[in-house]
Amino acid sequence: MKDILLNSALIVFEAVGLYLSIKKRGVLIVRYYTQISNIIALLSSVLYLTIGRYAAPIRYTAACMLTMTFLVTVFVLIPMGGGAKKLMIEGNGLYHHSICPVLCFVSYVFFEPHASVWYVPMIITAVYGTVMLVLNYLKVTDGPYPFLKVHDQGRRRSVIWMIVLTAVITMIAFLMMVFVK
């Protein structure tokens, strides 16, 4: 029953956050890993309420990606000058950086059936990072995160960030697979 309540709440909070994001940025929200991870979480909660335990692989993926979103926000973006208030308690950040990652993690870890497809969050993250680095390099887009800005920090530093962030999501996925059973 707690899993149903948490996933229902997650759907509501994800919808509010998504509305605020679309209102502010339109379709450009897909440039953000935060938005991609939260959309996956929204879809995974809908599937969980619809098909139950069969949604465990996508719930695992969402929990890993939202954990990554939360950790990068707290340990990278805020220290790089993003501002804790702006990123964690204002606008869509309240939902997408704070409430939804915590709800998703708690629901998946403590109240739901588990699955481990450890490579899926890593692949999604690596593909996202690679595409965004190429788009930044080609000057099709700028950022949206400071560690993707190839022309501001150089190719080498950008590639190092990509490797580190892919390693972090792989570690999150591995730890969630090993310790959450």
Side-chain angles (χ1 to χ4, degrees):
M1 184 57 126
K2 291 177 184 173
D3 58 336
I4 292 170
L5 291 173
L6 287 168
N7 275 281
S8 297
L10 189 60
I11 290 169
V12 170
F13 289 126
E14 287 289 5
V16 171
L18 186 60
Y19 169 78
L20 293 172
S21 295
I22 292 171
K23 184 177 171 185
K24 184 175 182 180
R25 293 190 177 94
V27 295
L28 292 179
I29 65 168
V30 297
R31 292 178 42 221
Y32 293 83
Y33 184 89
T34 295
Q35 300 303 322
I36 294 167
S37 63
N38 277 278
I39 290 168
I40 290 171
L42 173 61
L43 295 174
S44 75
S45 287
V46 169
L47 284 173
Y48 185 77
L49 293 180
T50 307
I51 62 174
R53 66 185 177 89
Y54 298 107
I58 192 169
R59 291 291 300 138
Y60 167 82
T61 299
C64 290
M65 291 180 69
L66 282 185
T67 299
M68 174 78 159
T69 294
F70 179 84
L71 294 174
V72 167
T73 301
V74 171
F75 295 109
V76 177
L77 298 176
I78 291 172
M80 288 180 117
K85 182 179 178 186
K86 178 184 173 193
L87 291 175
M88 300 301 285
I89 59 175
E90 290 181 348
N92 75 297
L94 172 64
Y95 303 98
H96 288 163
H97 294 147
S98 299
I99 295 172
C100 294
V102 171
L103 283 177
C104 188
F105 181 86
V106 168
S107 184
Y108 179 77
V109 169
F110 297 109
F111 303 112
E112 298 177 25
H114 300 123
S116 56
V117 285
W118 67 268
Y119 50 88
V120 174
M122 185 227 11
I123 290 170
I124 293 169
T125 302
V127 167
Y128 168 82
T130 302
V131 167
M132 293 308 293
L133 283 176
V134 168
L135 292 175
N136 271 268
Y137 180 75
L138 296 173
K139 297 184 178 183
V140 173
T141 192
D142 185 39
Y145 302 109
F147 47 80
L148 292 173
K149 295 185 176 197
V150 178
H151 298 288
D152 291 353
Q153 66 183 359
R155 286 181 267 174
R156 179 177 293 169
R157 185 179 254 172
S158 298
V159 170
I160 290 170
W161 269 110
M162 177 65 194
I163 292 167
V164 167
L165 293 171
T166 301
V168 169
I169 190 65
T170 303
M171 185 181 303
I172 290 167
F174 179 75
L175 291 172
M176 203 169 292
M177 176 184 72
V178 170
F179 294 110
V180 179
K181 292 194 179 218

